Amino acid sequence: QVQLVQSGAEVKKPGASVKVSCKASGYTFTTYYIHWVRQAPGQGLEWMGIINPSGGSTTYAQSFQGRVTMTRDTSTSTVYMELSSLRSEDTAVYYCARTYSSSSAVDSWGQGTLVTVSS
Amino acid sequence: QSVLTQPPSASGTPGQRVTISCSGSSSNIGGNPVNWYQQLPGTAPKLLIYSNNQRPSGVPDRFSGSKSGTSASLAISGLQSEDEADYYCAAWDDSLNGPVFGGGTKLTVL
């Protein structure tokens, strides 16, 4: 069955960077896009960007431009999201999510990774 | 401030029918399909409705979706206690070149 398994919770200091992984299984890795969506405590869902695992092309939400980098490793079917210059407002659960095309509905989500930014 | 507008809360008693609205603009709902997600407490969202009114396999037919112009709605009939969750609408936005979400509606089953 389709699974997106994310790395574990992280605690970071302001100004640091965090790299979250998302390992895909149960389908052909390069045939689905991967989005990253975050959810601050008690808040709604916020789209961060998308990566095409086939060629590695990315599109980032404007609010994260310059701070986020999404990469993939096709040998391990893993996608990575790195967020730099962390601030307290970046404390959130980060989800990876799969779509068949860039604009289609998300049909599978990772379990989420809690990133806490605190001094 | 979310791009799509949803009521923050909704409620109903078991067996009732409730609807949740979602309002957008021509760059998102007006020109693209709407999807709905259900998020149970402490879990990742789950796809509930895609392409305005399609249910993925396994989603009960108590859940239905519709769209008209720049608005959409989710209807839940025969409300059950396990339906208590947060519900999010979403659509691709052609101006932002990415998906946008509603702020979420917390459904309480009284």
Side-chain angles (χ1 to χ4, degrees), chain A residues 13-30:
Chain A
K13 293 195 182 303
S17 297
V18 68
K19 192 170 186 177
V20 180
S21 67
C22 171
K23 183 173 175 59
S25 63
Y27 70 97
T28 303
F29 178 64
T30 53

Side-chain angles (χ1 to χ4, degrees), chain B residues 1-25:
Chain B
Q1 191 80 354
S2 301
V3 174
L4 304 182
T5 301
Q6 297 179 237
S9 63
S11 63
T13 57
Q16 266 191 331
R17 182 178 187 270
V18 297
T19 61
I20 297 171
S21 62
C22 176
S23 177
S25 67

Side-chain angles (χ1 to χ4, degrees), chain A residues 35 37 39 43-47 59 95 102-107 109-111, chain B residues 35 37 39 43-47 49-50 88 92 96-99 101-103:
Chain A
H35 300 251
V37 177
Q39 185 172 36
Q43 302 300 309
L45 303 169
E46 181 180 21
W47 181 72
T59 300
Y95 294 103
S102 59
S103 61
S104 58
V106 172
D107 65 359
W109 296 75
Q111 83 275 19
Chain B
N35 308 306
Y37 300 93
Q39 187 175 34
T43 69
K46 167 195 162 186
L47 181 62
I49 297 287
Y50 67 96
Y88 293 90
W92 187 264
L96 300 176
N97 199 28
F101 294 91

Side-chain angles (χ1 to χ4, degrees), chain A residues 27-84:
Chain A
Y27 70 97
T28 303
F29 178 64
T30 53
T31 57
Y32 285 78
Y33 292 77
I34 295 290
H35 300 251
W36 287 90
V37 177
R38 76 177 185 181
Q39 185 172 36
Q43 302 300 309
L45 303 169
E46 181 180 21
W47 181 72
M48 300 179 67
I50 182 176
I51 183 168
N52 181 348
S54 178
S57 61
T58 56
T59 300
Y60 303 134
Q62 192 163 9
S63 53
F64 296 97
Q65 289 272 2
R67 278 209 308 145
V68 70
T69 304
M70 297 176 188
T71 56
R72 95 290 189 218
D73 182 344
T74 55
S75 68
T76 60
S77 299
T78 303
V79 172
Y80 300 92
M81 186 283 299
E82 184 170 21
L83 188 62
S84 62

